């Protein structure tokens, strides 16, 4: 499994709810439809920082998700809400465990 972490900083706090809603309603369904999709989490770290974590079967699939997220951001005209390019970390997942009881 491969993970991609995208950290967005200096988010426009007045548009934070709009961004979260659009991700949940529009971006997440697209990501879920990608080959190799294994999961996605969005984290509000506070202080204008938001981090997303995507899990895919391969590095190529994870890279495609980053390309799609960037295109989606421009299509939704969210460049001013998320003014800085994300800091991206990718790599092979070495340890991963989930509980069947945990649902977001």
């Amino acid at each position: 499994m491969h993970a991609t972490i995208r950290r967005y900083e200096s988010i426009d706090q007045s548009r934070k709810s709009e961004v979260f809603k659009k991700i949940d309603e529009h971006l997440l369904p697209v990501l879920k439809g990608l080959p190799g999709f294994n999961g996605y989490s969005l984290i509000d770290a506070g202080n204008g920082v938001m981090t997303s974590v995507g899990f895919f079967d391969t590095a190529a699939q994870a890279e495609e998700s980053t390309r799609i997220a960037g295109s989606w951001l421009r299509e939704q005209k969210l460049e001013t809400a998320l003014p800085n390019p994300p800091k991206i970390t990718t790599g092979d997942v070495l340890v991963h465990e989930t509980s069947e009881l945990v649902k977001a």
Side-chain angles (χ1 to χ4, degrees), residues 26-77:
H26 302 284
L27 179 60
L28 187 54
V30 173
L31 294 177
K32 286 172 68 174
L34 292 176
F37 175 84
N38 285 303
Y40 179 87
S41 295
L42 182 64
I43 303 156
D44 180 359
N47 298 318
V49 176
M50 177 176 70
T51 301
S52 68
V53 183
F55 296 97
F56 290 86
D57 289 340
T58 68
Q61 292 164 339
E63 288 171 17
E64 177 67 2
S65 77
T66 295
R67 186 194 66 73
I68 287 171
S71 294
W72 175 85
L73 190 117
R74 289 184 294 281
E75 290 168 7
Q76 296 293 315
K77 303 192 182 333

Side-chain angles (χ1 to χ4, degrees), residues 7-104:
R7 178 183 167 97
Y8 298 87
E9 297 177 348
S10 302
I11 296 168
D12 181 344
Q13 294 298 291
S14 68
R15 296 184 65 195
K16 186 170 74 169
S17 293
E18 171 194 2
V19 171
F20 291 167
K21 183 177 180 181
K22 285 187 175 190
I23 289 170
D24 186 46
E25 293 178 356
H26 302 284
L27 179 60
L28 187 54
V30 173
L31 294 177
K32 286 172 68 174
L34 292 176
F37 175 84
N38 285 303
Y40 179 87
S41 295
L42 182 64
I43 303 156
D44 180 359
N47 298 318
V49 176
M50 177 176 70
T51 301
S52 68
V53 183
F55 296 97
F56 290 86
D57 289 340
T58 68
Q61 292 164 339
E63 288 171 17
E64 177 67 2
S65 77
T66 295
R67 186 194 66 73
I68 287 171
S71 294
W72 175 85
L73 190 117
R74 289 184 294 281
E75 290 168 7
Q76 296 293 315
K77 303 192 182 333
L78 292 172
E79 297 97 331
T80 58
L82 303 166
N84 300 318
K87 296 177 182 175
I88 301 172
T89 303
T90 65
D92 289 327
V93 175
L94 302 178
V95 177
H96 175 76
E97 183 65 41
T98 59
S99 169
E100 295 297 320
L101 300 176
V102 176
K103 299 289 181 189

